Amino acid sequence: RILWVMPFIGRGGAERVTLDLTRELAEVFDITLLLFRPVEDYQMEVDPRIHIEVLLSQPARLRSHLPKVLTLMSRMVREADLVVAGLELETTYLSVAAARVAKRPCIAVSHIPLLKWIEISNYGLLHKLFSRISYRLVTKVVPVSRAVGNHLHSQFGVPEDRIRVIY
């Protein structure tokens, strides 16, 4: 049982990667797609074998509902054998924290070199700290390119033996 965590399913590249990978994995594994917010554009493209759970019934700021999200997410993580954080930042932080509490392995998928984004963020220092901690605690990191993998290794200290590039 794999719990794949995403903030929502919209029209971005990370969503496309999530849909493609979960579709392939659903041939062998029981997949639950856990979303923080309701499905947007790709709902019709989610494989019917994949269960969808939505934590917040309407679009809302995640920080405003953090206790509720953590409580619901913790319950779902305990029922999974593996947690996959399908996107960077909050998705990874919450997935890693819930997986650690439930003593479940966690894989983080990384799509972009984070440091450039973090530097322009209003919450840059917090993101840098949480990213450094989270990426060091995951079981494996799956970057979508060698460049992203090198970035995670050099900027966040992820050991090379825990990085597996998929594209």
Side-chain angles (χ1 to χ4, degrees), residues 128-148:
K128 193 170 189 177
L129 173 66
F130 289 148
S131 292
R132 187 172 303 281
I133 292 168
S134 298
Y135 283 109
R136 288 181 180 180
L137 292 175
V138 296
T139 309
K140 293 283 183 191
V141 179
V142 180
V144 298
S145 71
R146 174 53 39 206
V148 173

Side-chain angles (χ1 to χ4, degrees), residues 4 17 21 109-111 141-146 164-167:
W4 193 291
V17 169
L21 289 174
V109 180
S110 186
H111 305 270
V141 179
V142 180
V144 298
S145 71
R146 174 53 39 206
R164 294 289 180 264
V165 178
I166 57 171
Y167 288 115

Side-chain angles (χ1 to χ4, degrees), residues 148-160 163:
V148 173
N150 291 341
H151 173 79
L152 290 167
H153 173 68
S154 66
Q155 299 299 317
F156 296 104
V158 178
E160 288 186 15
I163 297 173

Side-chain angles (χ1 to χ4, degrees), residues 8 49 62 79 94 115 133 142 152 160-161 164 167:
F8 59 91
R49 298 171 293 184
L62 185 60
E79 296 173 9
L94 295 174
L115 208 51
I133 292 168
V142 180
L152 290 167
E160 288 186 15
D161 65 331
R164 294 289 180 264
Y167 288 115

Side-chain angles (χ1 to χ4, degrees), residues 15-87:
E15 291 86 348
R16 174 58 50 208
V17 169
T18 291
L19 293 173
D20 290 347
L21 289 174
T22 56
R23 183 179 305 111
E24 294 297 319
L25 290 169
E27 293 182 15
V28 179
F29 299 102
D30 179 25
I31 307 285
T32 298
L33 185 56
L34 177 61
L35 306 174
F36 297 145
R37 293 182 284 281
V39 175
E40 289 184 2
D41 300 325
Y42 284 148
Q43 184 167 0
M44 299 305 294
E45 295 185 42
V46 176
D47 189 294
R49 298 171 293 184
I50 297 170
H51 312 286
I52 299 176
E53 295 287 338
V54 180
L55 294 180
L56 301 173
S57 59
Q58 55 188 333
R61 294 187 64 92
L62 185 60
R63 287 181 218 102
S64 311
H65 299 281
L66 205 50
K68 175 182 178 180
V69 167
L70 283 171
T71 301
L72 295 171
M73 194 172 175
S74 294
R75 286 185 198 143
M76 296 195 69
V77 167
R78 283 193 295 268
E79 296 173 9
D81 297 310
L82 171 68
V83 178
V84 177
L87 197 64

